[in-house]
Every structure is written in structure tokens, then in C-alpha cells.
Amino acid sequence: MAKTSPAEFIRQVQTETKKVTWPTRRETVMTAVMVVIMATLLGVFFFTVDSGFDAIVKLLLSLAA
């Protein structure tokens, strides 16, 4: 495997960076908003499920006592 010089490596990185399609500001904001919405929905969902399991466990423990 041939070794690449540091200068050649930097040129290759610059060439590859120019090929990247960067998202627009609007796309970035929309993606961030969707992430916040999904994280909130998942947080509410798991809070609800956890609260339900907590109630079931407390009920079962109260029956055992």
C-alpha cells in the first residue's frame, strides 16, 4: 500500500469536501425541530409507560403485604 504525503492527503480531503452537498439553513432548522418533537413524544411515551408499570408494581406489592 503506497504512502500518501501529508500535502497530498490535505488535497484529497479538500477535493472530497467540495463534493459534499451541504444542507440549507432551512433543512437544518427543520431537521432540528423534528428531532426536538420526536424526543419530546418519546419522552412522554416512556414516562407514561413507566408510570403505568410503577402503578402496577405498587398495586401488586400492596396486595402482598
Side-chain angles (χ1 to χ4, degrees), residues 17-34:
T17 304
K18 290 176 186 173
K19 295 178 185 177
V20 173
T21 303
W22 297 101
T24 64
R25 180 172 182 85
R26 185 176 190 279
E27 290 172 332
T28 304
V29 169
M30 291 300 292
T31 302
V33 167
M34 289 304 296

